[in-house]
Amino acid sequence: MVEQDNNPPAVKRLAVIGVGLIGGSLARALRAIGQVGEVVGCGRNVAHLQRGMDLGVIDTFATDPVEAVAGADMVLVAVPLSAMRQVFAAIEPGLGPDTVISDVGSAKVSVIEDARAVLGSALDRFVPGHPIAGTEKSGVEASFPDLYRGRRVILTPMAETRPEALQLVRRVWRLAGAEVTDMAPEHHDEVLAATSHLPHVLAYGLVDTLSRWSDRDEIFQYAAGGFRDFTRIASSDPAMWRDICLANHDAVVVALERYSAALATLTDAVRERDGDQLIACFSNARDARQRFLDMLER
Amino acid sequence: MVEQDNNPPAVKRLAVIGVGLIGGSLARALRAIGQVGEVVGCGRNVAHLQRGMDLGVIDTFATDPVEAVAGADMVLVAVPLSAMRQVFAAIEPGLGPDTVISDVGSAKVSVIEDARAVLGSALDRFVPGHPIAGTEKSGVEASFPDLYRGRRVILTPMAETRPEALQLVRRVWRLAGAEVTDMAPEHHDEVLAATSHLPHVLAYGLVDTLSRWSDRDEIFQYAAGGFRDFTRIASSDPAMWRDICLANHDAVVVALERYSAALATLTDAVRERDGDQLIACFSNARDARQRFLDMLER
């Protein structure tokens, strides 16, 4: 279906709670193609919201969540996982009977628990979502309309999620250029624990460990390019990753336990100078990574 | 001291055993500034050596190690760690009384053991070395004269190493643009285990583990950019890394054990939802990495 210019926009009034890289980029994407009528920003910091207006990311703003969501047909909650429940509770009184709510949290089971606890009758219009996108930068200044182009967005609808709510959120992300998939919330959390949460914990753990060795200055001094790549994700926001580990603790613990067991086997192989086992592991890893890259290119 | 054009080159005749990225790039660097008279390549594959000649990396070649090192004032052994001893033994009969020998192995204690075992009276002219440089590519085709510019080269001289041998090798690497440091061999192996060998094993282990999970295709499908960076080093040559783990097994085992202990603590923190401990670790890691990057820039 071709979107006609004279059709109404996908979202007439979009409220973005938390106007940063993630929320700001979705607003910009929809504005760029005329698929949003008005964008209302909401946050605690007025100077920050004013900056979002100056940048043309939002049209107006409110610091009161009830005021911000009034008359919105869609509310995007783009706040840290640790603030989800509180924000859901704060917007709930202002939600209209057809307002669709979605979020962008990196863990989904915990967000659904938060929503169930406080969204009341609006729960059937809540569509849990997770755009797998981001940059090393954060904040509304870093937002740009193409952030989601070609990226994946996972939606994890619940049994009670209304089909038309799911449909709207799916449409909005597709309009922003994303490839949208549905997944069970528990499965999302397991997959992301393996592919994103585990590597972050490993990288933080490595740099933290090395920084406590007695010869740490020398260690860092002789680190080559591979180390820099390997530890790039250890530059991510500590508070955000603490929140993710707490929110998704069960799946993260399982991933860490599996990895630790594999590492113990690998350590034994080095200790016993078992070259065959080492090369089997290393070769399998190299080949799997190559298959993964080939798959991403297709 | 400014090098005059009419001065003799630093090395009149350089024999490179193993003409790949590492050996080829040093030859190219010295040639580019007229600091080598003649470069003799040595290897088992004639087509490969011919390619090195065609590319202008070497002037001539021999497949017989004794022939290759005849008349050389410096021999650079740039072969896998697992081939070191055999190559040292093969060149030994051809070494002149003043020929300086150096290597480029990523572990130094084991190379020194190899040299001690077979280099005989030439041992006092052996200067163990390790240029911390490389690219994802390998082979003589990938070699280029600026590979070592601004990179670090660690030399680990032994008690019996002649000062003039050390001086020549140091000068050669400096002429190639590298920053040269001396270090005790055991200390080199510990530092490199922490900063290079450990991260490689961790990355291989992660990709290998994930590739064995039941939902591996989905896992890789939803992997974001951070994962790609994090696992880049798992694309390195498996045989080379097996050799490094075997050659430096003591230091690698110590590094793996320390890391595993830290990971167990971190896993407990996630299990017990200890947010304070998590953010302390993550913040320390982020800050340490930033200090490291700042240090590298200075």
Side-chain angles (χ1 to χ4, degrees):
Chain A
M1 195 182 76
V2 176
E3 304 287 341
Q4 300 287 329
D5 278 351
N6 52 357
N7 277 351
V11 183
K12 288 194 276 299
R13 190 174 161 98
L14 174 69
V16 177
I17 320 291
V19 185
L21 171 70
I22 298 297
S25 292
L26 184 64
R28 282 190 195 260
L30 296 178
R31 293 177 82 102
I33 53 171
Q35 288 287 356
V36 63
E38 188 183 21
V39 181
V40 185
C42 180
R44 283 174 304 190
N45 184 328
V46 171
H48 183 85
L49 292 166
Q50 185 59 52
R51 181 89 185 114
M53 272 186 73
D54 296 345
L55 290 168
V57 175
I58 55 178
D59 295 294
T60 178
F61 66 79
T63 53
D64 174 11
V66 170
E67 196 183 321
V69 303
D73 37 355
M74 178 168 165
V75 177
L76 184 77
V77 181
V79 302
L81 286 168
S82 56
M84 281 294 175
R85 185 173 301 208
Q86 181 190 335
V87 168
F88 287 152
I91 61 172
E92 191 273 332
L95 298 169
D98 293 312
T99 310
V100 171
I101 310 106
S102 191
D103 80 303
V104 298
S106 302
K108 300 269 54 90
V109 171
S110 74
V111 171
I112 289 172
E113 280 171 12
D114 292 335
R116 273 192 207 289
V118 297
L119 270 187
S121 64
L123 188 70
D124 64 356
R125 286 160 282 131
F126 175 57
V127 182
H130 178 205
I132 303 181
T135 69
E136 286 172 49
K137 294 172 187 167
S138 63
V140 68
E141 293 81 3
S143 67
F144 61 102
D146 282 342
L147 176 60
Y148 303 112
R149 193 151 299 284
R151 298 308 194 88
R152 286 174 181 278
V153 171
I154 303 175
L155 301 180
T156 62
M158 306 159 292
E160 50 272 82
T161 307
R162 281 198 216 163
E164 64 271 25
L166 177 59
Q167 208 168 1
L168 175 65
V169 176
R170 192 184 284 139
R171 182 172 174 219
V172 160
W173 284 114
R174 282 193 181 144
L175 285 168
E179 196 177 321
V180 183
T181 327
D182 294 354
M183 211 182 262
E186 297 75 16
H187 189 54
H188 165 278
D189 284 4
E190 284 165 20
V191 168
L192 269 288
T195 206
S196 168
H197 309 171
L198 176 62
H200 275 82
V201 175
L202 298 185
Y204 279 127
L206 175 66
V207 182
D208 181 58
T209 304
L210 294 187
S211 79
R212 295 171 195 286
W213 287 23
S214 56
D215 40 7
R216 64 168 180 218
D217 286 351
E218 234 171 343
I219 283 171
F220 286 126
Q221 205 169 345
Y222 293 99
F227 182 81
R228 209 180 304 195
D229 277 352
F230 187 74
T231 59
R232 180 162 297 123
I233 53 180
S235 291
S236 310
D237 178 18
M240 183 176 123
W241 283 94
R242 175 204 54 197
D243 285 1
I244 290 173
C245 287
L246 295 178
N248 196 23
H249 57 92
D250 284 348
V252 171
V253 166
V254 168
L256 278 164
E257 284 172 345
R258 282 203 206 186
Y259 181 74
S260 297
L263 205 58
T265 306
L266 214 40
T267 305
D268 284 343
V270 179
R271 196 182 284 115
E272 291 156 19
R273 310 189 199 187
D274 184 343
D276 290 346
Q277 198 184 334
L278 291 175
I279 204 164
C281 165
F282 298 172
S283 298
N284 179 60
R286 188 191 54 176
D287 296 349
R289 184 170 188 275
Q290 193 51 53
R291 281 198 306 275
F292 149 64
L293 293 180
D294 292 347
M295 184 172 76
L296 286 188
E297 283 199 2
R298 278 198 307 271
Chain B
M1 194 183 78
V2 176
E3 303 287 342
Q4 299 287 330
D5 280 350
N6 53 356
N7 277 350
V11 183
K12 288 194 277 299
R13 191 175 160 98
L14 173 69
V16 177
I17 320 292
V19 185
L21 171 70
I22 298 297
S25 291
L26 183 64
R28 283 191 196 261
L30 296 177
R31 294 177 83 103
I33 53 170
Q35 288 289 356
V36 63
E38 188 184 21
V39 180
V40 185
C42 181
R44 283 174 304 190
N45 185 328
V46 171
H48 183 85
L49 292 166
Q50 185 59 52
R51 181 88 185 114
M53 272 186 72
D54 296 344
L55 290 167
V57 176
I58 56 177
D59 295 293
T60 177
F61 66 79
T63 53
D64 175 11
V66 170
E67 197 183 319
V69 303
D73 36 358
M74 178 169 165
V75 178
L76 184 77
V77 182
V79 303
L81 286 168
S82 57
M84 279 296 174
R85 186 173 301 209
Q86 182 191 335
V87 168
F88 287 152
I91 61 172
E92 191 273 333
L95 297 169
D98 293 312
T99 310
V100 170
I101 309 106
S102 191
D103 79 304
V104 298
S106 303
K108 300 271 50 93
V109 172
S110 75
V111 171
I112 290 172
E113 279 172 12
D114 292 335
R116 273 192 208 288
V118 297
L119 270 188
S121 63
L123 188 69
D124 63 356
R125 285 160 283 130
F126 174 57
V127 182
H130 178 205
I132 303 182
T135 69
E136 287 173 48
K137 296 172 187 167
S138 63
V140 68
E141 293 81 2
S143 66
F144 61 101
D146 283 340
L147 176 60
Y148 303 112
R149 193 150 300 283
R151 299 308 194 88
R152 286 175 182 275
V153 172
I154 302 174
L155 302 180
T156 62
M158 306 159 291
E160 51 271 81
T161 308
R162 283 198 216 164
E164 64 270 26
L166 177 59
Q167 208 168 2
L168 175 65
V169 176
R170 193 184 285 140
R171 181 172 175 219
V172 160
W173 284 113
R174 283 193 180 145
L175 286 168
E179 196 177 321
V180 183
T181 328
D182 294 354
M183 212 183 263
E186 297 75 14
H187 189 54
H188 166 278
D189 284 5
E190 284 164 21
V191 168
L192 269 288
T195 206
S196 168
H197 309 172
L198 175 62
H200 276 82
V201 174
L202 299 185
Y204 279 127
L206 175 66
V207 182
D208 181 57
T209 303
L210 294 187
S211 80
R212 295 171 196 287
W213 288 23
S214 56
D215 40 8
R216 64 169 180 218
D217 285 351
E218 234 172 341
I219 283 171
F220 286 126
Q221 206 169 343
Y222 293 100
F227 183 81
R228 211 183 300 196
D229 276 353
F230 188 75
T231 60
R232 180 162 297 123
I233 52 180
S235 290
S236 310
D237 178 19
M240 183 177 122
W241 283 95
R242 175 204 54 198
D243 285 1
I244 290 172
C245 287
L246 295 178
N248 197 22
H249 57 92
D250 284 348
V252 172
V253 166
V254 168
L256 278 164
E257 284 172 345
R258 283 203 205 185
Y259 181 74
S260 297
L263 206 58
T265 306
L266 215 39
T267 305
D268 284 343
V270 179
R271 196 182 285 114
E272 291 157 18
R273 310 190 199 185
D274 184 344
D276 290 344
Q277 198 184 336
L278 291 175
I279 205 164
C281 167
F282 298 172
S283 297
N284 179 59
R286 188 191 53 174
D287 296 349
R289 183 169 188 275
Q290 195 51 55
R291 282 199 305 276
F292 149 64
L293 293 180
D294 292 347
M295 184 172 75
L296 286 189
E297 282 197 3
R298 278 197 306 270

